[in-house]
């Protein structure tokens, strides 16, 4: 048998008042029930904690020794109880998220601003990594959730779709293509093509889709970061295609964004987490905020499915 929180509270009430009647009133407990609770604690610990007579109550030497420990134990218990209450009521907590750079840079700041306005006590750690590393970090349990393109079903991950994102062309402002309302891949590929290095998911999607339509992606320049690709395009080195969620960033770098089709390339973006675990309440709240604030660009649909 082990001591209980009820026994600790009873002992501290008696030790503070040195009066069973007053302690009973404080605890809203009858004196016989209080005596039994103290006796049960003494039995667990192995000896008397209180000296009782008809006129007074005093602590034994062992009771004096136990008193500061009992106070600390009860304080720790109350602190844990309060901390967990704050976690479940979203007053405090921690979330670790991995997000592909295009989403982390262009969408996540606005989402996190809305989330922090609602839940200022929740700490959020963001790992800005490429799509493949997002999936890896989630699968290995290094983050609670990830934001990425829909992974293959073999990864044993749960996927909550946020929406479809559609690829758009980016070209220099002084290009003859810059004034067009829409571009085909055939037109875009007349420019030197700039894109991300392998094993980028963005590059892989473009290569696979173009191969289906009998085209080959000839790459003139490549970089590890989309922002560098955007700067290269803006400086007149060539053209590229990027997810539409990067439009604002690309335009700020000086590139012109144009709808792109023939073939139309789009991919579902969403939240992933391991299939064998449940998201914390804080992570579920962030997921709901993502659903509220993420809006796919360039006419892409909010729901994933067949185009």
């Amino acid at each position: 048998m082990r001591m209980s929180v009820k026994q600790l509270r009873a002992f501290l009430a008696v030790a503070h008042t040195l009066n069973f009647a007053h302690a009973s009133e404080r605890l809203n407990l009858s004196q016989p029930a209080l005596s039994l609770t103290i006796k049960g604690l003494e039995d667990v610990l192995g000896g008397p904690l209180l000296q009782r007579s008809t006129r007074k109550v005093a602590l034994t030497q062992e009771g004096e020794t136990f008193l500061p420990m009992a106070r600390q134990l009860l304080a720790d218990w109350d602190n844990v109880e309060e901390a967990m209450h704050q976690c479940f009521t979203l007053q405090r907590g921690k979330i670790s998220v991995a997000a592909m750079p295009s989403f982390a840079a262009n969408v996540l700041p606005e989402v996190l601003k809305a989330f922090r306005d609602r839940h200022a006590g929740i700490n959020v750690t963001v790992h800005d990594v490429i799509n493949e590393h997002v999936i890896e970090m989630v699968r290995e349990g290094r983050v609670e959730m990830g934001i990425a393109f829909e992974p293959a079903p073999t990864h044993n991950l749960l996927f909550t779709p946020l929406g479809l994102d559609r690829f758009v062309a980016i070209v220099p402002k002084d290009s003859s293509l810059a004034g067009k309302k829409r571009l085909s891949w055939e037109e875009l590929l007349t420019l030197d093509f700039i894109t991300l290095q392998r094993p980028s998911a963005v590059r892989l999607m473009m290569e696979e889709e173009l191969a289906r339509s009998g085209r080959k992606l000839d790459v003139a320049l490549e970089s590890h970061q989309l922002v560098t690709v955007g700067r290269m395009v803006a400086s007149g080195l060539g053209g590229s295609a990027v997810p539409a969620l990067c439009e604002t960033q690309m335009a700020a770098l000086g590139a012109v964004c144009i709808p792109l089709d023939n073939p139309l390339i789009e991919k579902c973006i969403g939240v992933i987490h391991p299939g064998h675990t449940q998201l914390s309440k804080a992570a579920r709240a962030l997921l709901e905020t993502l659903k509220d604030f993420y809006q796919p660009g360039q006419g892409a649909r909010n729901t994933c499915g067949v185009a």
Side-chain angles (χ1 to χ4, degrees):
M1 188 176 177
R2 295 175 179 271
M3 64 181 173
S4 67
V5 173
K6 178 181 178 182
Q7 290 171 335
L8 285 176
R9 294 192 192 280
F11 170 73
L12 289 172
V14 175
H16 179 73
T17 62
L18 296 179
N19 186 295
F20 269 76
H22 293 165
S24 295
E25 291 177 7
R26 174 178 290 192
L27 296 169
N28 195 25
L29 197 66
S30 69
Q31 288 191 49
L34 177 59
S35 295
L36 283 174
T37 302
I38 295 295
K39 179 64 168 59
L41 177 61
E42 291 174 331
D43 289 344
V44 170
L45 296 179
L49 300 171
L50 300 167
Q51 293 177 335
R52 284 157 276 196
S53 69
T54 55
R55 290 187 297 176
K56 68 175 184 175
V57 177
L59 292 172
T60 64
Q61 183 60 48
E62 292 80 5
E64 292 281 3
T65 300
F66 182 59
L67 180 59
M69 292 187 284
R71 284 175 176 153
Q72 185 62 54
L73 281 170
L74 192 58
D76 290 343
W77 179 275
D78 289 340
N79 287 339
V80 168
E81 189 176 83
E82 176 60 22
M84 292 310 299
H85 174 73
Q86 290 180 358
C87 285
F88 282 113
T89 56
L90 299 178
Q91 297 176 58
R92 64 184 292 181
K94 182 181 292 187
I95 314 169
S96 186
V97 181
M100 54 185 180
S102 54
F103 197 97
N106 297 287
V107 178
L108 204 52
E110 181 183 0
V111 172
L112 291 179
K113 175 63 169 62
F115 180 78
R116 292 278 297 171
D117 286 345
R118 299 172 183 174
H119 310 295
I122 305 294
N123 174 268
V124 183
T125 300
V126 177
H127 299 268
D128 181 353
V129 294
I130 62 174
N131 190 82
E132 293 72 22
H133 290 171
V134 172
I135 296 170
E136 179 182 315
M137 292 183 75
V138 173
R139 191 171 57 240
E140 294 178 354
R142 288 187 281 160
V143 294
E144 185 174 5
M145 59 192 289
I147 304 168
F149 292 117
E150 184 174 10
T154 55
H155 286 301
N156 192 30
L157 300 171
L158 292 180
F159 180 77
T160 302
L162 296 174
L164 279 168
D165 196 48
R166 184 168 295 172
F167 277 66
V168 297
I170 57 171
V171 300
K173 286 182 178 178
D174 59 0
S175 168
S176 60
L177 302 178
K180 288 183 171 287
K181 298 294 185 183
R182 183 173 295 274
L183 286 180
S184 68
W185 273 93
E186 185 176 359
E187 291 172 305
L188 177 60
L189 292 178
T190 60
L191 301 177
D192 287 339
F193 198 77
I194 307 167
T195 191
L196 294 172
Q197 298 171 350
R198 294 189 180 97
S200 159
V202 167
R203 178 165 176 172
L204 181 62
M205 276 185 274
M206 290 189 293
E207 288 179 332
E208 288 180 344
E209 193 61 43
L210 289 173
R212 289 191 189 99
S213 61
R215 294 183 180 90
K216 181 182 177 183
L217 190 64
D218 290 319
V219 176
L221 295 163
E222 53 189 338
S223 172
H224 188 63
Q225 298 289 340
L226 273 172
V227 65
T228 306
V229 171
R231 287 190 178 122
M232 287 180 178
V233 171
S235 68
L237 286 170
S240 187
V242 297
L245 60 83
C246 303
E247 283 184 283
T248 302
Q249 183 184 32
M250 294 296 114
L253 293 171
V256 176
C257 302
I258 306 170
L260 179 64
D261 57 21
N262 191 27
L264 179 68
I265 303 178
E266 56 186 8
K267 183 75 172 178
C268 194
I269 292 175
V271 173
I272 57 176
H273 71 93
H276 63 277
T277 61
Q278 184 178 6
L279 287 175
S280 66
K281 190 165 184 180
R284 293 199 301 273
L286 179 57
L287 174 55
E288 291 305 311
T289 307
L290 281 161
K291 289 178 180 178
D292 290 342
F293 278 81
Y294 174 57
Q295 296 295 325
Q298 282 288 356
R301 292 175 287 123
N302 284 293
T303 55
C304 297
V306 179

